[in-house]
Amino acid sequence: MPGERDPLPALLREFERLHPGITVQSEPLPWTADVQHQFFVINLEGRSSGFDVLMLDIIWVPEFARAGWILDLSDRFDAAARAEHFPSTIDAARLDQRVWAVPWVMNVGLLYYRRDLLERHGFAPPKSYEELARQALVVRGAGDVRDGFLWQGKQYEGLVVNVLESMWALGTDVLGPDGALLPDAARAANALAERRRFITAGVSPALVTAADEEVSRREFGAGRAAFLRNWPYGLALFDAPGSPVRGRVDIAPLPGGGALGGAHLAINAATPHPAAAWDLVRFLTRPEAQRRIADAVGLHPTRPALFESPALLAIFRGARARPVTPWYQTLSATLQPELSAAITGVKPPARALDDARHRLHYLLAR
Amino acid sequence: MIARGERRFGFLLAAPALIVLAGVTLYPVAHVLVLSLQRRVPIFGIADWVGAANYGFLARDPAFWNAARVTLTFVVASVALELVLGVAVALALQRQHRWRAVAVALLLLPWCLPGVVTARTFEWIYHPTGILARAAAGLVGAGSTNWLGDPALALGAVVAADVWRTMPFVALLCYARLLGIPAEVYEAATVDGAGGIATVRAITLPLLAPVLLMVALFRTLDALRAFDLMFVLTGGGPAATTETLAVFAYRSLFQTLQLGYGAAVSTVVFVLVGATAALYLAAAGRAEARR
């Protein structure tokens, strides 16, 4: 957990008071996904029992489960307990019909829009990406803002997330329900082509091809754009005192649902203390603990019951998991350069996806 | 002539060092070679013998050829610029009399910075609404330039950052060599009526050549394994236009944990680097023999 208001130490001390004889140590890891992933791979592949409970990026759970590094929690984490969390968070923790981690904090892609500008033009928040594009062009054309729709198009995980969201809006995905790669390649190419069109038609500025979350968040926060796709962390920043867009930003669900992000807690398969580790997982994922984390650092709970804002609840309910597969890292790393080639106009979208599929067939030995 | 016993004793003395060297170089190289003949994803317990299949796929993999092309472009462009600018700066330093120590210290600064810090700094410089983009917009009057997001510009932007960072290395080594050229040589040239440019061509550059060759070797090998700048600045993008072989190998090895394919990529890079080094050393040998 980042920052000075880290609620974790207090939570751990409380757990120790409730469980005499147990002391819990937290080990902070670098805040970069790549480095965290490497830390876990090295330690878990070496069967290290140096830690009992792990905080996992949601996309790693199936990979770690398949590698045999984390305990199957299906029996401990029963159906009634699972039902208290958003279904998407449970789906993301599944492999072979078993559940391997407990949802802890949650993120979801959402649409920020400038309420003042949309009202001026008599628009309601867009329900589809075409509508979003039309509105962005009108608002831009009127000279109200420099840019229309900002998103993350740099060659990295964020680009995969954004393109997935476009694919979902068109009713397709990178992996089909049966695990087939690009089950509807034509529709997937259309989704990718739409992102390219956003740039060529002036819906989105060229800078999105180098933009990550922070670049796009700052541009929108400076009042230079009408729409932004980002995670919920921007809300507090846009409404902070001194923000140029304070009181003028509202949120809406993304047309096809936003990507699910966040972290789960899992138990190291090599732990000598599985029972105590499970107690800790249960303690940290309780409603009270999740609420305290939300209040302190703005990471959202994975339990619908803890949401007060109906608008936010609706957006979180619409969250969709990225392809749930042990091979997600390979999938994403292979897609990233190809998606980037498509949105920058270097390759036609259909060929970019075809090239990615070709590589994946070899790397996944299909 | 050395007696045989003495030679054997010499080998004996060198043996510990040779064994350590073999342990840290030959063993990993052999291991990587073996890995490259497998489909190997250790975390999933996958270890299938595939023979030369990884190399076969690599030969047809457009992503690999793209990385090879990017690496070659990066090496040629950055090393050429660094050599030309480095020599120019060294010559300027040689002629400068006041504040020379300050100039050298300033020159050293970019070279001292860790690569990641340099990359982060350039990230701000190249930011779509950053200083450079605004300046370019002011000059040309066009919209802001998307340095790191435009496939036509990104590699150039990374090369520029690399030149800024490593040109001082070239300049300093050349400058050190220039200090070693006796003043009499220049005086003789002046007496013979040689002008400034003629002196540089006939005296300075030939005397610099051995140093330049060494510097070029170092820089080329460094550039061949370039990683940090592009990894931080662009992540290899956009459209993999800044994805060097090192970044490509990193993706295969550490991000996707496809150790077999990653090992095949590494082996090719290893051969490439080895061949380049051999070429340079042969050139250096010829230059040595001519003198």
Side-chain angles (χ1 to χ4, degrees), chain B residues 26-37:
Chain B
L26 289 185
Y27 170 72
V29 167
H31 192 71
V32 166
L33 268 176
V34 173
L35 263 183
S36 74
L37 302 175

Side-chain angles (χ1 to χ4, degrees), chain B residues 39 88 94 97 111 115 124 132 136 147 210 225 236 266:
Chain B
R39 174 165 192 264
Q94 189 193 20
H97 296 293
W111 173 247
W124 281 102
L132 198 59
W147 297 101
R225 59 187 174 86
S266 308

Side-chain angles (χ1 to χ4, degrees), chain B residues 78-155:
Chain B
S78 68
V79 173
L81 279 170
E82 281 155 23
L83 289 182
V84 170
L85 289 175
V87 170
V89 168
L91 288 173
L93 270 180
Q94 189 193 20
R95 281 164 180 68
Q96 186 175 10
H97 296 293
R98 300 178 55 187
W99 302 103
R100 201 192 278 188
V102 176
V104 170
L106 282 178
L107 195 61
L108 264 175
L109 270 180
W111 173 247
C112 296
L113 285 179
V116 174
V117 174
T118 305
R120 285 271 175 240
T121 312
F122 272 90
E123 200 179 346
W124 281 102
I125 294 175
Y126 289 138
H127 190 279
T129 51
I131 326 162
L132 198 59
R134 278 205 302 271
L139 280 177
V140 195
S144 70
T145 313
N146 188 15
W147 297 101
L148 298 176
D150 186 331
L153 299 176
L155 187 57

Side-chain angles (χ1 to χ4, degrees), chain A:
Chain A
M1 308 263 142
E4 290 162 13
R5 302 176 59 202
D6 183 353
L8 199 55
L11 282 168
L12 295 181
R13 296 301 84 80
E14 198 180 318
F15 177 79
E16 285 170 346
R17 269 200 310 281
L18 293 171
H19 298 78
I22 299 180
T23 52
V24 187
Q25 264 185 358
S26 63
E27 183 169 354
L29 297 180
W31 199 243
T32 331
D34 261 0
V35 183
Q36 284 180 24
H37 188 256
Q38 237 173 78
F39 171 87
F40 283 133
V41 168
I42 292 166
N43 282 280
L44 294 170
E45 184 67 6
R47 294 285 178 264
S48 161
S49 55
F51 44 88
D52 306 288
V53 174
L54 315 64
M55 170 179 172
L56 290 185
D57 191 313
I58 204 159
I59 50 180
W60 303 335
V61 177
E63 179 188 3
F64 282 36
R66 162 93 193 259
W69 293 338
I70 53 180
L71 287 184
D72 178 357
L73 301 180
S74 307
D75 301 329
R76 293 186 173 98
F77 187 33
D78 58 35
R82 288 178 213 166
E84 293 171 12
H85 299 266
F86 288 104
S88 61
T89 62
I90 303 294
D91 291 343
R94 250 188 254 273
L95 180 75
D96 303 331
Q97 270 81 61
R98 313 294 292 172
V99 177
W100 302 83
V102 180
W104 193 26
V105 292
M106 185 169 167
N107 241 334
V108 60
L110 52 82
L111 183 68
Y112 294 92
Y113 63 91
R114 287 280 300 277
R115 194 177 46 229
D116 54 335
L117 300 183
L118 261 59
E119 272 169 8
R120 188 178 305 165
H121 294 276
F123 291 144
K127 295 264 181 277
S128 69
Y129 281 107
E130 298 94 82
E131 196 183 350
L132 191 163
R134 272 199 306 278
Q135 294 183 357
L137 285 176
V138 170
V139 175
R140 251 199 90 199
D144 293 333
V145 273
R146 196 190 65 190
D147 298 326
F149 174 39
L150 295 174
W151 42 284
Q152 294 83 44
K154 184 180 170 176
Q155 184 180 317
Y156 80 126
E157 175 62 25
L159 171 60
V160 177
V161 166
N162 279 260
V163 172
L164 275 171
E165 286 166 348
S166 267
M167 288 187 187
W168 296 336
L170 291 185
T172 189
D173 206 327
V174 167
L175 285 189
D178 54 348
L181 196 56
L182 293 166
D184 187 342
R187 223 184 274 204
N190 282 342
L192 193 48
E194 182 176 55
R195 291 283 165 162
R196 170 68 188 154
R197 249 188 343 266
F198 284 169
I199 299 169
T200 53
V203 172
S204 298
L207 70 84
V208 294
T209 60
D212 58 11
E213 281 91 349
E214 272 301 88
V215 168
S216 54
R217 197 269 302 164
R218 278 194 295 264
E219 290 299 297
F220 185 84
R224 288 197 274 264
F227 296 99
L228 165 72
R229 181 272 169 215
N230 212 321
W231 308 99
Y233 79 98
L235 207 50
L237 297 168
F238 299 144
D239 272 335
S243 156
V245 293
R246 189 174 188 195
R248 295 190 279 165
V249 176
D250 219 333
I251 53 173
L254 286 167
L260 170 73
H264 282 35
L265 291 180
I267 299 178
N268 184 350
T271 178
H273 319 288
W278 171 246
D279 283 342
L280 179 61
V281 169
R282 229 176 24 184
F283 175 83
L284 287 176
T285 55
R286 281 178 320 159
E288 305 81 69
Q290 288 200 345
R291 185 176 290 134
R292 261 161 69 186
I293 292 169
D295 290 346
V297 288
L299 292 168
H300 288 81
T302 58
R303 299 162 175 278
L306 297 183
F307 280 74
E308 280 146 23
S309 146
L312 213 53
L313 178 63
I315 291 172
F316 273 72
R317 269 198 202 289
R320 289 187 60 163
R322 282 165 269 177
V324 181
T325 160
W327 298 100
Y328 187 78
Q329 295 285 331
T330 304
L331 195 67
S332 172
T334 308
L335 280 169
Q336 286 167 24
E338 299 299 341
L339 301 184
S340 174
I343 66 161
T344 51
V346 171
K347 274 186 197 179
R351 217 189 88 214
L353 289 178
D354 217 44
D355 287 352
R357 187 218 301 267
H358 185 67
R359 294 201 80 226
L360 284 168
H361 272 300
Y362 182 76
L363 293 175
L364 307 189
R366 294 205 179 204

